[in-house]
Amino acid sequence: IGKEDENRRLLNNARRLASEASRYADIESENSRLRALLDLKSERTDTVTAAEVFARDPPNWFQILWINKGLSDGISKDMAAVTYAGVVGRVYRVLGSKASIILLTDVNSAVAVRIQPSGIDGILEGRGARNSFLKYIPQDAEIEIGQTVVTSGLDGIYPEGLLTGYITNIAKKSGEFFWDIELGLMENNVATE
């Protein structure tokens, strides 16, 4: 009986320690995310307001998130919505204390972008999936998987130089003038800018 009690006590201790380790990992992850958002805010000279996503529209034609900031917080239509990892979309609709964000992956989304380091400009379009596609890049342009794509600022909505994603797939279609380029995007907690 003494050994059984000792085993039970050790098992309970192990469970408690595993639970504490899990909580610690969650706190560490949140701390890293918050530090990155603080770094983003200090890097940008324009208006930056942190917001939390509290809802997502049900799966349909549109890819929209709702944040807990609105007109009363200085949010306005077409502000860029970014995370510490890059652009996720733009403010689509603004109410008193909340706003909707249309994601880069939405079929109604188009962003003027630039491939780094080559400086080639194109348009990033959503297609309703988790990835978006880069359009109007000529097939004679030298591009590679993994290259960074940032906002160019040419659309007048997104400030220049915000990360939108990385090239994940390049395909050449016969008879076409442009590459078929797929981008991997970021979707995380949203801050508006």
Side-chain angles (χ1 to χ4, degrees), residues 59-72:
N60 55 22
W61 287 102
F62 304 105
Q63 297 212 334
I64 294 177
L65 301 174
W66 284 88
I67 60 171
N68 66 347
K69 298 284 174 93
L71 285 171
S72 59

Side-chain angles (χ1 to χ4, degrees), residues 2-46:
K3 285 185 180 184
E4 286 179 15
D5 287 340
E6 180 67 14
N7 283 344
R8 196 171 305 125
R9 186 183 66 73
L10 289 172
L11 184 59
N12 286 339
N13 249 356
R15 287 182 182 145
R16 182 184 54 79
L17 290 173
S19 175
E20 284 179 17
S22 176
R23 268 196 325 262
Y24 175 77
D26 289 345
I27 290 169
E28 182 91 11
S29 174
E30 181 181 24
N31 190 4
S32 294
R33 212 172 56 251
L34 291 172
R35 282 187 189 279
L37 285 172
L38 283 173
D39 289 343
L40 170 68
K41 191 166 185 171
S42 66
E43 286 173 12
R44 301 299 305 181
T45 57
D46 38 13

Side-chain angles (χ1 to χ4, degrees), residues 8-192:
R8 196 171 305 125
R9 186 183 66 73
L10 289 172
L11 184 59
N12 286 339
N13 249 356
R15 287 182 182 145
R16 182 184 54 79
L17 290 173
S19 175
E20 284 179 17
S22 176
R23 268 196 325 262
Y24 175 77
D26 289 345
I27 290 169
E28 182 91 11
S29 174
E30 181 181 24
N31 190 4
S32 294
R33 212 172 56 251
L34 291 172
R35 282 187 189 279
L37 285 172
L38 283 173
D39 289 343
L40 170 68
K41 191 166 185 171
S42 66
E43 286 173 12
R44 301 299 305 181
T45 57
D46 38 13
T47 305
V48 175
T49 301
E52 263 185 64
V53 173
F54 70 86
R56 184 177 193 130
D57 277 4
N60 55 22
W61 287 102
F62 304 105
Q63 297 212 334
I64 294 177
L65 301 174
W66 284 88
I67 60 171
N68 66 347
K69 298 284 174 93
L71 285 171
S72 59
D73 303 291
I75 304 300
S76 60
K77 185 172 172 52
D78 288 334
M79 285 180 131
V82 300
T83 71
Y84 60 89
V87 177
V88 293
R90 66 180 166 81
V91 175
Y92 182 66
R93 185 172 176 210
V94 188
L95 304 173
S97 61
K98 62 185 176 181
S100 65
I101 305 296
I102 188 165
L103 299 177
L104 294 181
T105 52
D106 188 273
V107 295
N108 296 308
S109 181
V111 181
V113 294
R114 183 169 292 135
I115 300 172
Q116 297 294 339
S118 66
I120 299 168
D121 289 332
I123 302 292
L124 184 65
E125 288 187 350
R127 296 206 182 149
R130 288 194 55 81
N131 291 339
S132 287
F133 292 83
L134 188 50
K135 297 183 73 173
Y136 310 117
I137 305 298
Q139 287 189 2
D140 64 349
E142 292 186 30
I143 55 172
E144 299 175 8
I145 290 177
Q147 281 184 300
T148 303
V149 179
V150 299
T151 54
S152 68
L154 297 175
D155 54 21
I157 294 175
Y158 296 92
E160 183 179 357
L162 296 174
L163 180 64
T164 60
Y166 301 92
I167 296 175
T168 57
N169 192 28
I170 304 168
K172 191 175 203 173
K173 292 184 178 178
S174 63
E176 296 286 328
F177 295 109
F178 304 110
W179 288 109
D180 189 24
I181 303 171
E182 186 175 351
L183 249 64
L185 303 170
M186 298 77 194
E187 286 184 31
N188 291 307
N189 292 338
V190 176
T192 60

